[in-house]
Amino acid sequence: MFSKKSLRVVGGGLLLACSGLASAGNDFAQLKTLSQSEFKRLASDFTSVASYKAVTPAAALGITGFDVGGELSVTQLGNSAVWKKAGSDVSTLIVPRLHIHKGLPLNIDIGASLSAVPDSNIKLMGLEARYALLEGNVALPAIAIRGAYSKLSGVNELGFNSKSVEFLVSKGFVMFTPYVGAGRVWGNLSPNVIGLRKESTTANKLFAGLNANLGLMNLAAEVDRTGDNDTVSVKLGFRW
């Protein structure tokens, strides 16, 4: 599902990010130099990077439940030469996010995320709603469907939003809950410069993760492939 080379590169970027040695690119000041085909390739990468990533299993939190945490996602860009030409010289993009999920009645959870990419004006807001079709128990897994939305702000040259629908399954084993899922992502990248047209992209999404409840702390890790781009995410916080 994910190439060994991509996972090595993305994983290496994550280690650099955690040590404070990696940073994101700059703004898209040279966006007008792109051809339409190059802008389409940028849209494909952008959809993978900026679409919503929940990093959470399928099980419903319940009406008293919360999941709060800080996430770091690292995406290996497939078209880094296009990003560089547009004015953002980066091959592996690091996106930190703050997440909050709240359990509601009827096996419904809602969530939101905020992110700001270092050394860039890129800011992202995400929203999700998740419904547990099956709550899960000792014998059965939890099964859920999720709808999500993500929107870009802060970049004068670009407008972006994405919508996604995902199906996910998880099964708890004591303190560990592995999960897998698949979905579809629709992204729209709009240029605010003369000579380029809006590009809409559609990408398949596959992901797998592991949530570990460590008592006072909760740790989750996820590997995601959206389109042709691999992303590794780690989230640390509290879940109850």
Side-chain angles (χ1 to χ4, degrees):
M1 183 170 67
F2 305 98
S3 67
K4 292 182 179 179
K5 180 179 179 181
S6 295
L7 291 180
R8 284 198 300 269
V9 173
V10 175
L14 181 60
L15 291 176
L16 287 174
C18 291
S19 63
L21 298 177
S23 62
N26 298 315
D27 297 334
F28 295 87
Q30 303 302 318
L31 188 68
K32 61 185 178 181
T33 66
L34 299 186
S35 66
Q36 191 63 38
S37 62
E38 288 173 326
F39 186 71
K40 183 175 183 178
R41 288 156 57 194
L42 179 68
S44 177
D45 273 357
F46 216 96
T47 297
S48 298
V49 169
S51 57
Y52 190 83
K53 296 169 179 62
V55 195
T56 190
L61 289 168
I63 59 175
T64 62
F66 276 93
D67 186 341
V68 182
E71 173 203 333
L72 195 66
S73 293
V74 181
T75 303
Q76 174 67 19
L77 302 177
N79 299 283
S80 57
V82 175
W83 287 68
K84 182 176 181 179
K85 185 177 178 180
S88 184
D89 189 3
V90 60
S91 59
T92 301
L93 195 62
I94 301 163
V95 181
R97 289 183 176 90
L98 292 176
H99 274 276
I100 183 168
H101 299 88
K102 175 69 181 78
L104 300 177
L106 304 176
N107 291 339
I108 296 172
D109 289 0
I110 56 174
S113 68
L114 291 173
S115 62
V117 177
D119 297 334
S120 170
N121 286 336
I122 294 176
K123 297 178 178 62
L124 296 166
M125 176 203 69
L127 299 170
E128 74 155 285
R130 187 173 73 252
Y131 173 61
L133 302 167
L134 186 64
E135 292 185 63
N137 52 39
V138 175
L140 297 174
I143 300 174
I145 185 169
R146 174 167 56 221
Y149 175 81
S150 184
K151 183 176 177 61
L152 171 72
S153 64
V155 180
N156 294 330
E157 295 81 6
L158 287 173
F160 172 83
N161 68 77
S162 71
K163 303 175 184 68
S164 60
V165 175
E166 301 165 9
F167 181 82
L168 59 158
V169 179
S170 66
K171 181 70 176 72
F173 299 94
V174 192
M175 60 186 292
F176 298 104
T177 304
Y179 62 93
V180 296
R184 192 83 162 163
V185 181
W186 296 267
N188 298 289
L189 191 65
S190 302
N192 296 324
V193 298
I194 297 174
L196 292 175
R197 303 183 307 276
K198 173 183 173 181
E199 287 287 350
S200 297
T201 63
T202 303
N204 293 323
K205 176 173 180 173
L206 298 172
F207 58 96
L210 178 66
N211 189 88
N213 192 319
L214 306 176
L216 294 178
M217 301 294 294
N218 191 82
L219 177 65
E222 181 176 298
V223 181
D224 169 297
R225 164 157 280 204
T226 300
D228 295 326
N229 298 78
D230 292 340
T231 299
V232 173
S233 301
V234 174
K235 185 174 74 174
L236 180 65
F238 305 92
R239 180 183 174 91
W240 67 90

